[in-house]
Amino acid sequence: MPIDPLVAIGAELPATEFTWTASDVLLYHLALGAGADPLADAELAYTLEDRLRVLPTFGVVAPGLRTFEPPTVRFPGIEIDLAKVLHGSQQITVHQPIPVSGRASANPRIADVWDKEKAAVIVQETVVTDSAGVPLWTATSSIYARGEGGFGGSRGPSERATLPDRLPDHLVDTPTLPQQALIYRLCGDRNPLHADPAFAATAGFPRPILHGLCTWGMVCKAVVDTVFGGDVTRVGTFSGRFAGVVFPGETLRTRVWADDGRLTIAASTVERGDDVLRGSLQ
């Protein structure tokens, strides 16, 4: 089915009512590798309910925690083969600290569709509100669909992130587990690209890759722990553009530059030296 931007752009998608509990937050944190040092107070703040704080990136997965079927890419004016899809970017803006448990409504829409000729980029914005309609957080994501361009739409902005021309102010290495993707999929993303070697091969990868949102969450945690001393309330907006893939078992190397209240972030794999994410936090 060809992409029809006139139908897709601005289309409001069905709202989703959802709840979450402290156990959901604990699972999410563990899926990001929290608790690697089970005796460290800093890690126990992510893994024990009596002192639990919520990493803001949890807001992106919270609406889909009860989703057990592999995702589909089917929206008004858009229908794409899942094997062609990669996560392009993700951003979350928290309007207030995310509570340990709660009930909310996710209200998504297609914000834009870009024609990159060899691929299509679909931008989705989701505003999450509490029962009184007060915004809790806003999430914006883009997916990159290989081979789906050429439909005559706008090319969209050029978003090449540049890094400061100096040594980073902070550098932290974070190992991933060989089974990390198998744990993270319990947070709602059952895309077989992250678990089934045969499916990964059809998508052109030698083995399953780590979820982009897992990498994104791990980088955010590394920055919060290293720069903010674990104070999750200092995160206003965290955004990241995916530049490459991570294979479970590799080590993430996160570099951070601080400048006027804004952090510029770059993450790569230690083993291959490949860039995997560039972003910012403020």
Side-chain angles (χ1 to χ4, degrees):
M1 172 181 169
I3 293 175
D4 186 343
L6 296 178
V7 173
I9 296 174
E12 295 185 358
L13 308 179
T16 302
E17 302 290 333
F18 65 98
T19 61
W20 68 96
T21 67
S23 292
D24 297 321
V25 176
L26 293 171
L27 173 61
Y28 174 71
H29 289 164
L30 290 170
L32 296 183
D37 181 352
L39 302 181
D41 288 341
E43 293 301 308
L44 294 177
Y46 291 109
T47 54
L48 285 182
E49 53 272 23
D50 66 351
R51 64 200 75 176
L52 187 59
R53 58 194 179 195
V54 183
L55 193 68
T57 51
F58 172 75
V60 169
V61 305
L65 284 167
R66 309 291 181 257
T67 301
F68 303 114
E69 296 297 323
T72 60
V73 188
R74 185 176 298 113
F75 308 119
I78 301 171
E79 187 168 346
I80 296 171
D81 181 357
L82 184 62
K84 297 181 178 180
V85 170
L86 291 174
H87 204 146
S89 66
Q90 184 67 57
Q91 175 176 295
I92 188 165
T93 296
V94 287
H95 306 299
Q96 54 185 288
I98 298 177
V100 169
S101 62
R103 177 183 298 275
S105 173
N107 304 277
R109 70 183 185 95
I110 302 300
D112 219 332
V113 180
W114 301 327
D115 187 348
K116 301 295 186 181
E117 295 183 3
K118 293 183 178 180
V121 175
I122 296 100
V123 181
Q124 182 172 320
E125 179 187 81
T126 301
V127 178
V128 174
T129 59
D130 65 14
S131 57
V134 176
L136 297 173
W137 65 84
T138 300
T140 304
S141 64
S142 71
I143 59 173
Y144 184 89
R146 296 170 294 175
E148 295 292 340
F151 53 85
S154 168
R155 184 169 179 80
S158 176
E159 299 181 326
R160 290 185 178 274
T162 58
L163 301 178
D165 187 20
R166 59 182 172 86
L167 292 175
D169 298 299
H170 305 275
L171 186 150
V172 57
D173 287 348
T174 310
T176 68
L177 298 171
Q179 68 271 35
Q180 191 108 38
L182 298 178
I183 301 172
Y184 188 85
R185 69 192 297 269
L186 300 181
C187 295
D189 186 345
R190 302 296 177 95
N191 188 337
L193 177 64
H194 308 295
D196 185 342
F199 187 91
T202 66
F205 297 103
R207 54 194 174 103
I209 63 176
L210 192 62
H211 302 70
L213 283 182
C214 185
T215 300
W216 184 71
M218 292 183 72
V219 169
C220 184
K221 180 179 181 298
V223 174
V224 168
D225 291 347
T226 303
V227 183
F228 298 152
D231 185 356
V232 299
T233 65
R234 293 184 63 181
V235 178
T237 296
F238 173 57
S239 62
R241 178 163 298 280
F242 302 106
V245 301
V246 177
F247 294 104
E250 293 185 322
T251 298
L252 291 170
R253 173 162 291 167
T254 301
R255 294 168 290 156
V256 184
W257 293 262
D259 186 20
D260 294 331
R262 182 179 187 271
L263 304 179
T264 299
I265 301 163
S268 59
T269 59
V270 169
E271 292 79 3
R272 292 177 289 121
D274 289 358
D275 283 343
V276 296
L277 183 144
R278 291 193 178 187
S280 64
L281 191 155
Q282 51 190 352

